[in-house]
Amino acid sequence: MPDEISLTIDGVTVAAEPGTNVLQASLNAGKYVPYLCYYPGMKAFGACRMCVVEIEGGPPGTPASCTVPAANGMVVTTNSSKLASVRRGIMELLLAEHPHGCLTCHRIELCGPADICLRHVSVNDRCVTCPKNERCELKDTVRYLEMEMDTPLTYNNRHLPLAVSDPFWEMDMNLCIVCARCVRVCDEVRGDYAITLQQRSGRSLIGTSQGTSLLESGCEFCGACIDVCPTGALVERNYKWDKAVSTVTTTCPHCPVGCQLNLEVDKRGRVIRSIGDIHAEANQGQTCYKGKFGLDFVNSKERLKRPLIRRDGQLMGVTWDDALDHAAERLAEYQDGTYALIASPRGTNEDNYVAQKFARAVMRTNSVDVSSNLRPELVSPLRDLLGYGAATNPIWDLENAKGFLVVSSNMTEEQTVAAVPLKKALSNGATLIVIDQRETELTRHADIWLRPRPGSESALLGGMLRTIMDESLDDHDFLADNCDGLDALKYSLWRFDLIQVEASTGVSQDDIRSAARLFAQTGPAAILYGLETVAAAQREACVTALVNLALTTGNVGKPSAGLYPLAVGANAQGSIDVGCTPDLLPGYVEVADSAASKSLERAWDAPIPARPGYRISEITNAINNGDIKALHIIGDSPNFTNGELGSFVEALERLEFLLVQDTFASQITNAADVVLPSATFAEKEGTYTSMERRVQLLRPALAPRAEERSDWLAISQIATRMGAQRFGYGAPSEIFDEISDLVGLYGGITYGRIGPRGLQWPCLAADMLDTPVLFEAGFDARKAKLGQMIPAANPEPANADYPMHFARGRLLHMPEADVEIETNNGRNRIRRDDVIEIHPEDAAVLGIAEGESVEVASTRGRMRGVARLTGRQKSLISSTALFGQMITSLEHDTSPDPMLKAPTLPLLPARLSKVSETAAAD
Amino acid sequence: MSSDAKGIKDRVREAISSGKRPTKTVLSSLLSVHDELGYLPDEAIEEVAALSNTTINEVWGVATFYTNFRFTPPGRHLVEVCWGPTCHLAGAGKIIDSIQKQLGLSSEGETEDNQVSLKYNTCLGACAQPPVASIDHRLIGRLTANSAMRAVSEVLSK
C-alpha cells in the first residue's frame, strides 16, 4: 500500500492518507463539502447524502463522498450545477420535516422572536426560538446551498412531546433530521448504546427502548450526543437558550485526564456550555458528566467575594491588605515546623509550586501535600523501579492495546474519558481482566473478573506472576536486555504457590492461571490501576507486582502497553512534579538528599529542612497531637468530610491558626481564622499536568468577578510580607519559567511551546521533543528493576464492630434488574429494590434466607435491601446501584460544586443484620 | 413486581433457551420469543439485552426495525383480509368495512376484548377466488359481506 494517495479535487492535486474517504480528503485539503451525518472520528454513515460529489475513476453518478475511499488518480468535482441541484433536492426532503420558515428566509439574522413575519412563520417554528440558533449546522448548510425561497413553508410537524424529564439533557424529536450522529457517537465512540434508531425508513427516529428514561437505558451522561447534534434536537438543559459571545479552550478541573474543553461564555460573563475540543489529543472531543455538566460552580452567586478575618469569634469582611497583613503576622509565629499546608489538586503547577516553596523556604517545613494525595504509593514504586513516577503511555494509546488488566479502579466514573479508548479497544476484541471487589462498568466488559478477599490483592498478583514464571510465559529477551533483579524476583515467588494464593485470596487456582495466561499471551497489554479498594499496607506491594507483571511480559517501553496509575485530582501529577509533597522537592529531589537540594536552596535563597513533613493522611493525627498548630488549606476536598482523613473537621478546632483559601464557604472556612477568596479554574492562567504527563494550559475564560485572586498571588503576597525575597512574581509564566529551570523534566517546556496539544514530559530542553511513550529507547544507562514480592500478612477485619467488608458497585445499565422509572414534578427518578449479595455461608450463620430484608451497617451509614445468596467471597457483602441514581442525586444537589463531591465507591468495613418483618415495614 | 410479570419473564427465558432456533443472536432470540408468545413484551427486550450483553436500546433498535414483530399481545383469533389488486377489484373494501363494523374497529388492530386481531394483507395468494380472507390461517374465498361476517362470528363462537 502506498504511503500516500494522490487525487485531484476540483482541479487541484492533493495528497491523502490511505484509509481516508473522499470527504475527509477534500476537507483536509481545505475544500468544503457540505455534510450532516459525517462527523470527524466516526465511521462514515452515508445517510444524509449531502456530501455528494462526482468522481471520474470512481463510482458512477453522484456518490456520497464520505462512503468512497480515496484512491490514487481519482478526479473529484465537489461543486457543479448538477451537484448543487442534487443537494438542494435532498435538503428540501430534509426540510419537509423540519421547521424552515426562517432557514430559507433572507431576514434570518434580523428578526426577533415576536416580530411580525410576512411569511407567517409561527413563533415556535422560528430559528430564533431554537436553542441551537446561531450554532446550527443545518442552518449553515442551508445557507451554503443558497436554497431558493420557493420551497413551501409548510412542513410535516411530527408533534412529538419533548423529552425533558431526564437530568441535564433535553430532546426535541420535532427538530431531528435523523443523521444518527448521536446514536453512532454513543455506540462507536463511547460504547454505551444508550440511545438507538427506532423503526425504519420514513418513521425512523432517535429514542430509547420503549421510550424509557436515559436513567435506566445505560446513559453515562457524557453529553457526546449533544455535542455532535447538528440541529436543536439534543441540547443541554442548563443555559439552553443562552448565547455565547466568546469561546475559550481550557483544561477541565475535575480529574487527571486533562480534557480540553471549549468553554462558551455569555455576555453576562457566565460559562454557559462546555464542549470537548475535538482537536485535543488528551480527550479527542470527549468529555464526561463532570466536565460537561459540572462546571456551573464558577457561575455561583455563593462564591466568596472578599477576604474574611475572624474578629471576636465572627468572620468579618476586610480588605486584601488587612487580611494579608494579618495572615503574615500570625504565620510568623509558626516557622518552627508546626505549620502545614494542604494544597488543592485543582491548583495549577504554578499555584502548587509557590505553595510548596512558601512552606519550605518561608515556613521552614516539608509538611506540604495535596488533599487528594491519599494513595502516594500509586506512583512511588514506578519511580523506584522504572525511573519515572507517572503513567508510561498516553491515554489514547489504549485504543490500540490488545489486552488490559484493571486493578481496583472505577475509571469509567473517576477518569471517564480515559476509559473511552479502553472501551473502544474492547469492542474491537481486546481482552480485559478486572481485579475488583466491586461490580463496576468494566467488570461487565471483563473476560475475567477476579474478586479477591479484601487485603489479598498483592497475593493474587503474585500468583499471576508465579504462573507466568512457572509456565515460562515471560518475555525472556526483554527481561534479559532491560531488567535487573530477575533471580531475586523468581526466588521471592517461591512463597506464592497457587495453593497458598488460593487459600488467602479465595480465588480459584484455575482462575488465577487463566488470568495470568490471558494477560501474558495478549499483547500489547496495558495495566491500569487505582487501588481504590486496596488497603494502604498493600498498595506498594500491589504496584510492585504490577510493575513486575508489565516488565516480565515486555509491556513497557512500547506503544499501547505500559502502566497507568489512576489518581484523582486534576493536577495530581503536576503537584508531585513541582514538589507539593512532603518527601520530594521539585523535580523529584528527595528531601533528605542534601547535596541535590543545594541548587534549590540557592535558587530560593533559603535553607530547606531535611526532615520529610507530614503526609495528608497523617495530618489529622499531627493536629490532635499538637505537632501541627497552624494549618493552611487551599481549596475544598471531599476527603475533608468523607472520613478518609479521620475526624478532620473536629481536629480543626484544636488548631491555633487556620488559613483557608477557597472559592466557597464550607465547614472548613467556617472554622478558619483567615479566609481568602480563590479564583476558579475558569479565571486562572497556569498549567496542569495530566495523568499522561501532558502539560496543558489553563486559559482564563472569565474575568475576576469580585476580589478573588489566584492562589499563587495570594501566597506570594503573604510571603513578601513575611520578608521573603524571591516571591515577586508578576505572572504565572514567570513561575513556570522558574519551574522549568529547576525541574529537569520540564526543562524544555515554556508557555509559548505548549500549544493546543500540550507537551508530555520529559521534555528536557527547548530543542528537544516531548515524550509520549516512556522508555521507548530503553531505560537510559541503567536497567529497570524488578521488585521482590513479599507476601502480605493475612488481613485482619477492620474492627470487631464491623467484621465484614461492604463493596458497593455501580453500573450504567442493568437490563436484568427490576427498575421502575417514576416521574415526580416532571423529573425522572429510578425506583428499585437494592439487592445485597451475601455468601451463602455468611447467610447461614446469620439465618438469612434468599429474598429476605437485610441491613448493612457500615462506617458510613446504613443501607437496606433484599438478600441474594449469590456472593462468591466469604465476609464480603456487595451491592450494585445504577449510575442513573447517582446522576439524579447530583442533579438535585444544592451544594455549589456537587461534581467535586460525586460519591465514590470505597470498600467499607461493615456488619450485616436481618431486618425483622415489622422493622422492614417502616 | 406482580406474579403475572414474573410469569412472562419465565416464559421469555424458556422461549430463548428452548433452542428451537439454531443460533443465539439478538434477532434469533427475539424470534424465539415471538414464536412462543406471539409478541415481544418489555421483558423480552430486557432479557435479550442481558443475554447478548448489550443494552435494551440496541435490542429495541433491532426489534422495531422489523415490522413483523409486535409489542402487544395478539388477539386470540387472527383475521386477515386481502386487499391486493384482485381482491380490491372484487370488492375487498366492502368486506373490510363490514368486518370492522362487526368487530367495532376502525382500522387494523385488536378488538377491545383481545379476541380478534384484524390485519390487512397485501396478497394471500388465492387470486382466483377473490375476495379472500384468512381466518386463523384458513383461507376462505368468494366472500360477500354477509359470508365474511358469518365466518368471523363462527370463529368467535369457538
Side-chain angles (χ1 to χ4, degrees):
Chain A
M1 208 177 200
D3 286 346
E4 236 173 31
I5 292 166
S6 150
L7 67 167
T8 311
I9 298 175
D10 291 342
V12 183
T13 307
V14 300
E17 275 178 42
T20 54
N21 58 48
V22 172
L23 175 61
Q24 286 163 336
S26 19
L27 293 175
N28 290 344
K31 281 273 169 205
Y32 175 72
V33 176
Y35 61 88
L36 288 168
C37 73
Y38 167 78
Y39 198 81
M42 292 199 284
K43 280 185 237 159
F45 195 55
C48 74
R49 317 308 292 182
M50 200 50 62
C51 66
V52 289
V53 291
E54 289 174 287
I55 305 176
E56 278 175 45
T62 53
S65 57
C66 69
T67 57
V68 182
N72 247 335
M74 277 182 167
V75 180
V76 181
T77 310
T78 67
N79 224 337
S80 68
S81 58
K82 182 182 171 194
L83 288 172
S85 117
V86 171
R87 286 180 189 144
R88 283 189 201 123
I90 294 163
M91 181 56 87
E92 281 187 15
L93 290 174
L94 285 179
L95 294 186
E97 289 207 305
H98 188 98
H100 58 269
C102 296
L103 280 177
T104 55
C105 179
H106 66 285
R107 284 182 56 85
I108 187 163
E109 313 295 351
L110 304 172
C111 296
D115 288 356
I116 291 169
C117 173
L118 289 177
R119 303 183 120 201
H120 296 292
V121 175
S122 75
V123 168
N124 46 8
D125 280 354
R126 293 183 188 178
C127 283
V128 274
T129 56
C130 172
K132 277 263 175 81
N133 190 25
E134 293 180 12
R135 49 195 185 108
C136 170
E137 283 182 51
L138 183 67
K139 180 158 112 184
D140 296 344
T141 311
V142 171
R143 301 268 101 182
Y144 173 83
L145 296 179
E146 296 177 338
M147 300 286 286
E148 297 294 330
M149 288 187 291
D150 57 6
T151 41
L153 297 179
T154 50
Y155 70 101
N156 174 30
N157 191 332
R158 299 185 185 121
H159 291 296
L160 292 167
L162 273 56
V164 292
S165 308
D166 278 330
F168 304 122
W169 177 92
E170 295 197 349
M171 177 170 88
D172 181 357
M173 270 302 109
N174 301 308
L175 299 177
C176 179
I177 56 167
V178 207
C179 63
R181 278 186 189 177
C182 51
V183 175
R184 286 148 57 217
V185 78
C186 193
D187 173 27
E188 267 177 45
V189 179
R190 307 295 300 213
D192 292 335
Y193 230 121
I195 45 178
T196 190
L197 266 179
Q198 324 184 67
Q199 311 226 348
R200 63 167 153 189
S201 65
R203 280 181 296 181
S204 217
L205 274 184
I206 313 305
T208 51
S209 176
Q210 281 127 354
T212 185
S213 157
L214 287 183
L215 294 174
E216 66 157 338
S217 80
C219 178
E220 58 169 318
F221 292 88
C222 64
C225 51
I226 298 175
D227 292 346
V228 298
C229 182
T231 70
L234 298 175
V235 289
E236 301 91 344
R237 167 172 303 112
N238 284 343
Y239 305 102
K240 181 175 174 180
W241 309 100
D242 289 275
K243 291 196 181 8
V245 293
S246 66
T247 304
V248 175
T249 308
T250 190
T251 309
C252 180
H254 277 301
C255 89
V257 173
C259 292
Q260 296 295 292
L261 305 175
N262 293 326
L263 298 186
E264 296 192 349
V265 181
D266 72 357
K267 62 185 173 195
R268 292 166 61 193
R270 300 176 304 176
V271 172
I272 52 170
R273 269 179 292 273
S274 143
I275 295 163
D277 183 15
I278 194 143
H279 305 295
E281 277 191 23
N283 56 319
Q284 310 210 348
Q286 298 306 309
T287 55
C288 70
Y289 63 106
K290 294 180 183 173
K292 182 78 186 161
F293 303 111
L295 301 176
D296 197 28
F297 69 92
V298 301
N299 303 329
S300 172
K301 292 200 171 102
E302 291 167 39
R303 282 177 55 172
L304 293 168
K305 292 183 179 63
R306 53 188 308 204
L308 307 169
I309 288 182
R310 189 170 298 280
R311 283 194 183 127
D312 307 326
Q314 290 288 320
L315 282 173
M316 316 275 265
V318 292
T319 63
W320 266 97
D321 280 334
D322 287 351
L324 293 170
D325 287 342
H326 183 70
E329 192 181 307
R330 291 294 310 273
L331 285 177
E333 299 164 29
Y334 303 101
Q335 287 169 304
D336 54 353
T338 54
Y339 161 93
L341 193 157
I342 303 177
S344 166
R346 283 186 181 172
T348 59
N349 287 328
E350 293 75 4
D351 288 334
N352 288 356
Y353 172 79
V354 171
Q356 62 84 32
K357 182 175 172 184
F358 175 73
R360 290 182 165 123
V362 181
M363 300 306 295
R364 296 177 206 138
T365 175
N366 282 311
S367 296
V368 53
D369 208 347
V370 177
S371 54
S372 65
N373 193 22
L374 288 166
R375 288 170 277 152
E377 306 88 353
L378 284 181
V379 291
S380 51
L382 291 181
R383 197 174 62 245
D384 297 341
L385 299 172
L386 298 177
Y388 294 119
T392 57
N393 291 49
I395 292 167
W396 286 78
D397 250 22
L398 295 172
E399 203 175 349
N400 298 317
K402 296 283 178 265
F404 298 100
L405 171 61
V406 177
V407 184
S408 189
S409 166
N410 185 21
M411 65 182 296
T412 54
E413 289 179 16
E414 307 249 330
Q415 297 87 8
T416 317
V417 173
V420 172
L422 190 155
K423 279 159 83 178
K424 227 173 172 177
L426 293 178
S427 68
N428 292 333
T431 59
L432 171 65
I433 303 163
V434 177
I435 299 177
D436 208 322
Q437 287 85 14
R438 310 161 297 178
E439 184 172 27
T440 62
E441 192 53 23
L442 287 182
T443 62
R444 284 267 159 146
H445 294 272
D447 297 277
I448 298 177
W449 171 25
L450 305 176
R451 298 179 95 165
R453 197 163 286 155
S456 68
E457 292 86 353
S458 68
L460 177 61
L461 295 168
M464 285 175 63
L465 267 171
R466 171 77 185 249
T467 307
I468 288 174
M469 289 303 174
D470 283 356
E471 301 187 0
S472 195
L473 301 170
D474 52 325
D475 186 336
H476 311 298
D477 295 343
F478 181 87
L479 281 172
D481 294 347
N482 295 296
C483 305
D484 278 335
L486 181 59
D487 292 337
L489 168 66
K490 280 184 176 166
Y491 181 73
S492 71
L493 284 173
W494 74 271
R495 285 194 286 186
F496 288 83
D497 64 276
L498 291 198
I499 302 172
Q500 209 161 336
V501 172
E502 181 182 30
S504 63
T505 59
V507 178
S508 78
Q509 297 185 30
D510 283 344
D511 286 349
I512 301 171
R513 273 196 208 99
S514 23
R517 287 174 194 150
L518 186 65
F519 179 75
Q521 289 170 346
T522 35
I527 298 175
L528 302 105
Y529 59 96
L531 309 190
E532 290 159 22
T533 60
V534 177
Q538 286 274 306
R539 286 184 206 131
E540 185 149 2
C542 274
V543 181
T544 305
L546 291 170
V547 173
N548 289 341
L549 273 172
L551 287 173
T552 49
T553 53
N555 275 311
V556 179
K558 61 181 179 192
S560 305
L563 292 137
Y564 296 79
L566 298 169
V568 290
N571 200 24
Q573 183 68 48
S575 301
I576 303 176
D577 297 343
V578 300
C580 202
T581 166
D583 53 351
L584 294 171
L585 302 173
Y588 293 92
V589 174
E590 301 267 352
V591 163
D593 185 348
S594 56
S597 56
K598 278 281 174 294
S599 66
L600 285 168
E601 290 183 344
R602 268 197 303 280
W604 294 347
D605 192 20
I608 296 172
R611 197 166 58 96
Y614 292 105
R615 294 196 165 283
I616 179 76
S617 49
E618 299 160 344
I619 286 274
T620 308
N621 269 339
I623 298 171
N624 285 334
N625 295 342
D627 295 332
I628 298 292
K629 293 179 185 144
L631 187 61
H632 183 168
I633 299 177
I634 306 173
D636 201 357
S637 162
N639 292 337
F640 294 151
T641 46
N642 66 8
E644 290 279 4
L645 302 180
S647 38
F648 178 76
V649 179
E650 288 78 26
L652 296 179
E653 298 291 322
R654 294 172 174 263
L655 289 168
E656 292 174 17
F657 180 66
L658 175 60
L659 168 61
V660 178
Q661 293 174 247
D662 205 348
T663 311
F664 293 102
S666 66
Q667 269 179 293
I668 308 296
T669 57
N670 288 344
D673 297 289
V674 177
V675 180
L676 303 175
S678 287
T680 67
F681 84 102
E683 294 117 32
K684 270 187 196 172
E685 191 183 2
T687 53
Y688 278 168
T689 306
S690 76
M691 59 172 268
E692 50 174 354
R693 298 169 278 108
R694 195 185 293 277
V695 183
Q696 302 187 108
L697 281 174
L698 264 77
R699 302 172 188 86
L702 306 178
R705 25 192 66 216
E707 294 180 27
E708 69 274 9
R709 286 182 188 174
S710 284
D711 298 323
W712 64 265
L713 181 61
I715 299 169
S716 309
Q717 286 169 330
I718 296 173
T720 310
R721 278 172 165 74
M722 291 175 76
Q725 294 301 313
R726 308 230 166 150
F727 282 86
Y729 303 113
S733 58
E734 291 172 23
I735 307 170
F736 194 84
D737 291 343
E738 187 171 320
I739 295 173
S740 33
D741 283 346
L742 296 174
V743 179
L745 302 171
Y746 287 63
I749 306 177
T750 60
Y751 273 22
R753 249 194 104 182
I754 287 174
R757 65 170 281 268
L759 288 171
Q760 287 175 285
W761 67 249
C763 177
L764 303 177
D767 54 355
M768 283 169 82
L769 294 174
D770 67 338
T771 317
V773 179
L774 290 179
F775 317 118
E776 234 178 342
F779 294 85
D780 303 331
R782 56 184 208 90
K783 286 186 169 185
K785 275 185 264 177
L786 290 158
Q788 292 187 37
M789 297 295 298
I790 301 151
N794 260 348
E796 295 292 316
N799 62 50
D801 283 346
Y802 298 108
M804 303 170 101
H805 286 279
F806 183 31
R808 286 176 305 169
R810 201 150 48 217
L811 288 177
L812 291 179
H813 184 238
M814 297 170 91
E816 74 283 7
D818 299 325
V819 176
E820 264 180 79
I821 299 291
E822 53 183 19
T823 310
N824 265 340
N825 296 327
R827 317 292 315 133
N828 283 339
R829 273 173 186 280
I830 288 176
R831 204 179 67 191
R832 67 184 278 257
D833 287 332
D834 285 309
V835 170
I836 292 174
E837 273 195 291
I838 310 165
H839 192 271
E841 285 181 34
D842 292 331
V845 171
L846 293 161
I848 295 167
E850 175 87 17
E852 282 190 313
S853 248
V854 289
E855 185 177 79
V856 182
S858 74
T859 43
R860 295 195 201 162
R862 289 159 187 279
M863 181 183 141
R864 273 187 189 177
V866 181
R868 290 264 177 285
L869 309 188
T870 44
R872 292 273 214 70
Q873 196 66 271
K874 265 186 74 177
S875 73
L876 182 70
I877 319 161
S878 59
S879 179
T880 305
L882 267 170
F883 184 73
Q885 290 171 294
M886 182 177 92
I887 276 289
T888 37
S889 65
L890 284 175
E891 193 202 17
H892 291 99
D893 196 321
T894 51
S895 67
D897 189 2
M899 296 293 183
L900 174 67
K901 299 189 177 180
T904 54
L905 300 170
L907 191 67
L908 297 173
R911 87 178 157 255
L912 184 70
S913 58
K914 195 164 143 177
V915 182
S916 64
E917 288 296 317
T918 45
D922 308 336
Chain B
M1 182 187 262
S2 69
S3 60
D4 195 34
K6 267 247 151 66
I8 287 185
K9 211 162 198 172
D10 290 339
R11 284 170 67 196
V12 166
R13 278 192 194 138
E14 266 165 40
I16 296 172
S17 58
S18 67
K20 283 185 192 158
R21 298 261 166 193
T23 53
K24 281 271 170 287
T25 60
V26 170
L27 191 54
S28 73
S29 306
L30 289 173
L31 281 166
S32 301
V33 179
H34 205 269
D35 289 350
E36 205 62 34
L37 273 68
Y39 75 111
L40 298 177
D42 292 6
E43 289 80 1
I45 307 287
E46 286 159 13
E47 279 299 314
V48 174
L51 180 99
S52 52
N53 200 16
T54 175
T55 72
I56 47 176
N57 305 295
E58 188 158 15
V59 179
W60 178 251
V62 172
T64 54
F65 183 83
Y66 296 99
T67 46
N68 276 0
F69 281 132
R70 45 179 307 146
F71 301 92
T72 49
R76 205 156 70 88
H77 301 289
L78 175 64
V79 176
E80 289 175 272
V81 185
C82 183
W83 65 351
T86 318
C87 293
H88 177 73
L89 290 172
K94 276 185 200 153
I95 311 290
I96 290 175
D97 281 348
S98 56
I99 292 180
Q100 277 179 347
K101 203 173 281 173
Q102 182 188 11
L103 296 174
L105 293 170
S106 56
S107 67
E108 286 183 297
E110 283 70 53
T111 54
E112 234 167 62
D113 56 3
N114 217 26
Q115 284 295 308
V116 178
S117 284
L118 175 68
K119 273 180 95 173
Y120 308 152
N121 195 303
T122 322
C123 183
L124 285 164
C127 305
Q129 310 276 329
V132 184
S134 149
I135 299 181
D136 285 344
H137 302 290
R138 195 174 63 86
L139 283 175
I140 310 169
R142 298 204 187 278
L143 285 169
T144 61
N146 280 334
S147 66
M149 291 202 289
R150 222 172 20 249
V152 172
S153 7
E154 249 172 57
V155 79
L156 274 175
S157 64
K158 270 185 201 165

